[in-house]
Amino acid sequence: RDAFSEPIIDPDGPFHLSAEVGHALEPVIAKHLSTELGFPVYRDTMLYRHPHYPFLLVDLDFVMTAANPRTGELRLVIIECKTAAYWKKEDWETGVPYGYELQCRQAMCVMNIDEAIIICLFDNNEGGVATYRIVRDCVIEAEIIQRAKEFWRGHVEKNILPTPTIPTK
């Protein structure tokens, strides 16, 4: 036993296979996107806080430096990587699921970045990938900020547990 290093996981601790697989595949998904678009992708391990709304936090999967199609100037683009079972692909056929879209929009708000790309892998081949571009929308951002502010002031600051709800679009 002394010849082995520490175990990679505590067998008595929490473990969720689908979450672990999703995190493990993020670099592969990002590399696929980088080769498809021809721009470098960088892992971002920082936790960011909005400069005016300290309750708005975001951690990013990756960022990409890409040329603005109109000006050619390089700018940062947020990259969000997802995985899902192949039967969930139809949920993405009409666009990004609403919760993931809001995740990207909050990241754009906090980071002051105008574009995010979300890519989801459903299968282990190129046919099992959905990629969407999300452009910043200040009206939606204002709504995100307002709802986050209400939640923070109404629940966190008052130490009141919220009533669980089912999100709707």
Side-chain angles (χ1 to χ4, degrees):
R1 188 158 174 111
D2 290 338
F4 298 110
S5 65
E6 292 293 316
I8 61 168
I9 190 166
D10 175 3
D12 298 323
F15 178 79
H16 303 284
L17 183 61
S18 59
E20 293 289 332
V21 168
H23 289 302
L25 287 175
E26 285 178 355
V28 175
I29 296 165
K31 186 174 183 178
H32 169 75
L33 182 68
S34 180
T35 59
E36 287 290 309
L37 298 180
F39 295 105
V41 172
Y42 305 93
R43 181 173 286 286
D44 190 326
T45 59
M46 300 293 292
L47 178 65
Y48 296 96
R49 180 187 310 264
H50 194 284
H52 304 294
Y53 307 104
F55 47 81
L56 283 181
L57 302 170
V58 66
D59 65 330
L60 307 176
D61 290 343
F62 297 89
V63 293
M64 176 175 67
T65 54
N68 183 318
R70 289 176 289 151
T71 65
E73 185 179 341
L74 287 179
R75 85 260 193 238
L76 280 180
V77 176
I78 293 168
I79 306 298
E80 184 63 36
C81 299
K82 301 291 181 194
T83 58
Y86 69 91
W87 61 82
K88 293 297 235 172
K89 189 174 183 181
E90 65 187 40
D91 293 349
W92 289 70
E93 288 176 355
T94 57
V96 178
Y98 189 56
Y100 295 145
E101 178 186 343
L102 289 178
Q103 178 187 3
C104 291
R105 292 193 180 284
Q106 179 171 322
M108 289 187 284
C109 175
V110 170
M111 300 299 297
N112 193 26
I113 292 177
D114 293 329
E115 181 179 353
I117 295 175
I118 186 166
I119 179 169
C120 186
L121 176 67
F122 304 97
D123 205 343
N124 64 349
N125 61 60
E126 289 77 4
V129 175
T131 306
Y132 294 93
R133 177 177 180 255
I134 300 173
V135 177
R136 195 168 183 187
D137 183 321
C138 292
V139 173
I140 296 173
E141 272 184 30
E143 180 70 19
I144 291 170
I145 291 168
Q146 183 59 38
R147 287 184 182 219
K149 190 185 303 184
E150 289 169 3
F151 181 84
W152 187 262
R153 289 181 178 159
H155 295 284
V156 177
E157 287 179 349
K158 294 179 180 179
N159 201 25
I160 298 171
L161 287 175
T163 304
T165 60
I166 298 173
T168 60
K169 188 165 185 175

